[in-house]
Amino acid sequence: MTLPETKITSSFWKRYRQLVAKSSVPFQWEMINDQATVDVANDPFAAGGSSNESHAIKNLKIAAGREKGDFFGMDFQDTDVYKWLETAAYVLKYAPDAELKKHADQVVDLIADAQEDDGYLSTMFQIEMPERKFKRLQQSHELYSMGHYIEAGVAYYQVTQNKKALQIACKMADCLYKNFGTGKDQILGIPGHPEIELALCRLYDVTQQEKYLQLAHYFVTQRGQDPEFFDKQNAKDGKDRNFFPGLDKIGNRYYYSDKPVTDQQDVHGHAVRVLYFLTGLAHVARLTKSEDLLSAAKRLWREVVNRQMYVTGNVGQTTTGEAFTYDYDLPNDVNYGETCASVALVRFAKQMEHTTFSGEYGDVIEKELFNGALSGISLDGKHYFYVNPLEADPQASRLSPEKNHIATRRASWFSCACCPSNITRLLASVDEYLYEVHDDTILSDQFIANETHFDNGVSVVLKSNFPWSGELHYDLKNAQQQTIKFGIRLPGWTHQAYTESTKNIADVGKVQDGILWFTIGQGEASIDIAFDMTPQLIRANPRVKSDIGKVAVQRGPIVYCAEGVDNPQMLWTYQLEDKPTFTYHFDSKLLDGVGVLSTSDVTTLEVMNSSKLYDCLPAHKVATKLTLVPYYSWANREESQMEVWIAHAGD
Ligand code: FUB
Ligand code: ZN
């Protein structure tokens, strides 16, 4: 599948992508080189712990023998460099920059020097404990780290043709191919943290070397075959030698290694682990044409999005183990919703879309791109959320132990810094999510304005002011003699309320699985389509205890929230009337330009005399106003409360 040449023209996304290029990438470069001055003392108490120290480049320099010193950081500290490199690769595609290219080339050289002759690379083990390589896979992150390099190496090679970047990746994969499998001298094992599966598939896509696909298939299907594998390995490696306290006792459900994936009926355990694994599963299923694996991927996809995903797209309900809990358990104020988990869900959705044309995958990608994942980065590009709550109160975060993982301000960096470069690599590669192309069938999946040329001689120009406007105008050119099929995803939030008009379109087909199909003959054609952007009240399934009596407000793809900075009363005292009317205006000065919703169809509760905690008198409601801003933009002004789900008189 060759990626089309895409130029993003959307002003919303041009701003974000320039931000990544001009602000996030230079900032992260300073961070991983220990050159940034971060005011950690004033950073919030954040999941993973705030940190102003990275040492990530230094670890590689020590492993390469260029410097002397000790290893510092997480056992996957190397991945902060790899994800920076991957982001840089995507940035170089849309914002060429000689200085950035020089740094990135130097990083590739450094990684090549740090890599061992047999392809192995994990600096913690090389520097501190070479005798323990591949001996405690449950916790070691060796394959997770190498997977992240492989992804970066592939991306950097694809953009810059730097062969060394790809050779390092192949050498790494060869090392794993030699060490893992069912052979006599091989480890019949799996990684504690999946990621290598999806990375090997990417490597296969670019090299077409069967062994990489075989190995990915092995890791996907071996998981859960021997639920005791980690315990046995740990016992051999030795007692009390955990890399993270307690991880050996957490149980194999946490690692999603309790049964083979074809037997798994739900999602459980560490959210990022499961979602990276499912991404690899979907990719392997497609490449190997395995019906069993594909049906498992489809089943588990539904488990995630129909039972354990927040309305914003965030996933992972508990801070304990950064994990999924159970169906319909979706607490708003103690959840986790790690930024990495949202990025992983986007990756899973895209792989599912590669297997099947269906609008449900693009719906989730869109949900993340405009809400759950996007909330992970600040408007200045240099501050990040690790945890993304749907309800927050600075006082509770400070004083309630069960809520102090809920930061109400984004942090500059974390001691476990997985999220910052994960969100930036997603934003920098957003062009890869706009279309789904299978031969002569093209699906317009994301409505981000763009100009795209496809391999098959078709070009598409999409003009829109999405997400603020639902009006889309497509200009299409088909240089081929045969007709093509062109689909437009009808977003889940439209409820079929759209209007369209066409010019020179051979045939307007039916809506199938949430996609409206057109047949386009040779020459030029155009389509105008408008989605209804009336704000909608969203209700959760009543099985979701936390959202009973509440609604979320959504306009187009954007989920809104109330922030204390706009609304002076305690947010939980606001109650929307049964059928509130909202006014919408775009404020170009607020939060770098956002659509704002306001309503007067709302009351608050008058606060009782402060000497009383309880009373039998009826509640006294007072008419007021409520202002809502996009969820992704919260916590970019002064610290205050935030709420997505708002009490509603009609529920
Ligand atoms: O374990 C590596 C990464 O660190 C995970 O993906 C994140 O959830 C964080 O725990
Ligand atoms: Zn993360």
Side-chain angles (χ1 to χ4, degrees):
M1 208 170 296
T2 341
L3 287 174
E5 279 294 306
T6 291
K7 183 174 156 208
I8 289 193
T9 51
S10 147
S11 48
F12 184 93
W13 283 98
K14 270 196 330 204
R15 195 200 79 83
Y16 266 108
R17 280 153 66 87
Q18 283 307 319
L19 187 78
V20 170
K22 302 281 174 253
S23 172
S24 317
V25 165
F27 167 70
Q28 292 180 9
W29 176 247
E30 285 183 7
M31 261 333 294
I32 58 180
N33 280 284
D34 304 302
Q35 291 159 356
T37 7
V38 176
D39 188 1
V40 171
N42 286 323
D43 264 346
F45 182 83
S50 297
S51 172
N52 60 2
E53 215 178 344
S54 161
H55 214 263
I57 289 278
K58 189 141 188 179
N59 290 335
L60 283 160
K61 286 188 177 160
I62 298 168
R66 294 189 191 177
E67 283 186 20
K68 297 231 170 306
D70 298 326
F71 174 86
F72 172 87
M74 298 282 162
D75 58 7
F76 48 89
Q77 203 80 347
D78 305 348
T79 60
D80 297 347
V81 178
Y82 303 156
K83 280 187 276 176
W84 175 87
L85 179 63
E86 193 182 338
T87 308
Y90 303 132
V91 164
L92 287 170
K93 215 160 90 177
Y94 65 84
D97 174 337
E99 183 75 3
L100 175 61
K101 168 89 170 35
K102 193 176 95 195
H103 287 320
D105 282 342
Q106 285 168 351
V107 165
V108 171
D109 291 342
L110 171 62
I111 294 169
D113 286 357
Q115 186 174 34
E116 298 195 347
D117 290 344
D118 67 351
Y120 183 93
L121 180 45
S122 177
T123 60
M124 182 179 94
F125 288 88
Q126 290 165 266
I127 299 169
E128 302 287 341
M129 48 190 92
E131 74 293 350
R132 290 181 73 193
K133 288 179 195 164
F134 297 144
K135 297 262 165 50
R136 207 177 188 90
L137 290 163
Q138 182 192 49
Q139 300 160 25
S140 72
H141 285 90
E142 290 155 290
L143 277 63
Y144 167 86
S145 299
M146 293 199 226
H148 270 304
Y149 175 77
I150 292 171
E151 284 208 80
V154 166
Y156 197 64
Y157 166 74
Q158 284 179 319
V159 175
T160 65
Q161 278 73 57
N162 180 320
K163 288 210 178 74
K164 198 189 243 185
L166 187 64
Q167 278 156 4
I168 300 168
C170 291
K171 215 166 137 184
M172 243 174 218
D174 291 343
C175 167
L176 301 179
Y177 187 74
K178 178 167 163 266
N179 280 286
F180 289 86
T182 50
K184 196 162 100 5
D185 299 322
Q186 290 182 302
I187 306 166
L188 187 57
I190 50 161
H193 196 315
E195 147 70 28
I196 191 65
E197 304 80 355
L198 70 89
L200 286 166
C201 290
R202 276 186 86 171
L203 188 61
Y204 168 78
D205 281 342
V206 69
T207 62
Q208 291 296 300
Q209 293 212 41
E210 280 301 320
K211 59 183 170 183
Y212 301 142
L213 177 56
Q214 275 170 27
L215 188 59
H217 180 267
Y218 160 80
F219 282 128
V220 162
T221 51
Q222 181 59 28
R223 197 163 201 88
Q225 298 292 350
D226 175 6
E228 263 113 63
F229 167 72
F230 290 138
D231 292 340
K232 290 190 273 191
Q233 243 212 347
N234 288 345
K236 263 200 211 147
D237 184 45
K239 252 181 139 201
D240 305 324
R241 297 187 89 193
N242 284 336
F243 300 130
F244 294 96
L247 278 192
D248 57 337
K249 299 278 179 300
I250 211 162
N252 52 22
R253 268 179 65 82
Y254 175 78
Y255 296 97
Y256 215 55
S257 60
D258 47 327
K259 47 178 103 135
V261 69
T262 42
D263 294 342
Q264 292 286 10
Q265 300 302 323
D266 64 359
V267 291
H268 48 261
H270 181 264
V272 185
R273 280 174 167 81
V274 185
L275 292 169
Y276 278 162
F277 177 69
L278 297 180
T279 307
L281 166 72
H283 205 150
V284 168
R286 174 169 58 86
L287 294 174
T288 59
K289 300 190 175 45
S290 161
E291 286 300 325
D292 286 355
L293 294 183
L294 184 58
S295 94
K298 287 194 170 166
R299 179 173 69 246
L300 297 166
W301 163 262
R302 300 246 153 78
E303 285 296 314
V304 178
V305 302
N306 293 347
R307 295 188 170 80
Q308 298 204 56
M309 182 182 73
Y310 285 87
V311 70
T312 47
N314 296 106
V315 269
Q317 301 99 313
T318 176
T319 178
T320 306
E322 314 179 303
F324 285 109
T325 55
Y326 58 92
D327 292 354
Y328 306 107
D329 175 41
L330 292 161
N332 294 308
D333 59 347
V334 289
N335 71 316
Y336 208 64
E338 184 179 340
T339 300
C340 283
S342 281
V343 173
L345 184 51
V346 174
R347 305 283 303 274
F348 181 27
K350 192 62 190 165
Q351 281 307 325
M352 291 305 291
E353 192 171 70
H354 286 333
T355 69
T356 318
F357 280 121
S358 171
E360 62 184 310
Y361 306 122
D363 280 352
V364 171
I365 294 172
E366 182 183 80
K367 197 179 253 311
E368 294 290 6
L369 289 180
F370 289 103
N371 304 285
L374 195 57
S375 135
I377 186 166
S378 63
L379 294 176
D380 74 359
K382 298 185 202 173
H383 295 84
Y384 308 93
F385 271 142
Y386 192 123
V387 169
N388 294 275
L390 280 82
E391 185 177 323
D393 178 357
Q395 189 182 24
S397 296
R398 255 193 329 274
L399 300 175
S400 166
E402 62 167 4
K403 291 187 184 154
N404 63 17
H405 64 289
I406 306 281
T408 48
R409 215 152 50 78
R410 291 171 183 81
S412 302
W413 207 246
F414 307 93
S415 48
C416 170
C418 48
C419 296
S421 50
N422 220 352
I423 182 63
T424 53
R425 74 177 173 141
L426 174 67
L427 301 186
S429 60
V430 80
D431 50 307
E432 297 184 7
Y433 294 88
L434 305 192
Y435 294 96
E436 182 62 32
V437 188
H438 298 183
D439 304 320
D440 281 335
T441 304
I442 298 173
L443 167 66
S444 169
D445 190 54
Q446 299 300 318
F447 309 123
I448 295 168
N450 71 90
E451 294 169 6
T452 297
H453 300 280
F454 299 89
D455 269 3
N456 58 6
V458 174
S459 61
V460 179
V461 174
L462 167 59
K463 292 187 186 134
S464 79
N465 186 23
F466 200 75
W468 312 121
S469 156
E471 287 173 18
L472 314 178
H473 175 82
Y474 291 89
D475 281 317
L476 303 134
K477 273 194 197 132
N478 179 12
Q480 309 181 109
Q481 290 195 334
Q482 71 262 39
T483 56
I484 59 151
K485 275 185 86 187
F486 185 75
I488 298 178
R489 177 178 58 87
L490 296 177
W493 44 264
T494 58
H495 297 293
Q496 306 295 319
Y498 62 92
T499 49
E500 33 120 336
S501 71
T502 60
K503 216 164 76 196
N504 288 342
I505 298 283
D507 182 33
V508 179
K510 286 200 203 113
V511 175
Q512 216 181 338
D513 295 327
I515 299 169
L516 175 61
W517 290 104
F518 302 87
T519 306
I520 298 178
Q522 192 179 16
E524 298 189 1
S526 68
I527 303 170
D528 282 283
I529 189 159
F531 299 127
D532 181 8
M533 299 293 271
T534 310
Q536 297 177 357
L537 299 188
I538 310 294
R539 287 178 183 81
N541 185 315
R543 291 172 196 270
V544 182
K545 187 171 149 198
S546 318
D547 300 337
I548 284 289
K550 296 178 181 176
V551 290
V553 182
Q554 185 166 344
R555 180 180 182 277
I558 303 274
V559 176
Y560 277 77
C561 70
E563 275 197 284
V565 60
D566 301 310
N567 303 289
Q569 312 299 331
M570 293 165 291
L571 293 183
W572 54 85
T573 65
Y574 288 85
Q575 188 180 46
L576 287 167
E577 287 176 10
D578 191 12
K579 292 196 173 84
T581 307
F582 289 93
T583 55
Y584 170 80
H585 76 280
F586 184 79
D587 187 338
S588 59
K589 299 224 169 62
L590 184 69
L591 296 163
D592 285 349
V594 284
V596 179
L597 290 176
S598 12
T599 185
S600 299
D601 298 333
V602 61
T603 56
T604 53
L605 291 172
E606 198 176 67
V607 176
M608 284 180 201
N609 178 330
S610 63
S611 64
K612 286 196 178 164
L613 187 53
Y614 306 102
D615 208 332
C616 58
L617 296 173
H620 189 217
K621 293 182 181 181
V622 187
T624 186
K625 286 197 168 118
L626 186 69
T627 302
L628 304 176
V629 294
Y631 171 73
Y632 76 79
S633 70
W634 87 277
N636 276 289
R637 295 174 287 171
E638 66 204 64
E639 237 177 329
S640 67
Q641 293 174 352
M642 183 279 292
E643 207 172 78
V644 169
W645 290 95
I646 299 163
H648 180 235
D651 280 77

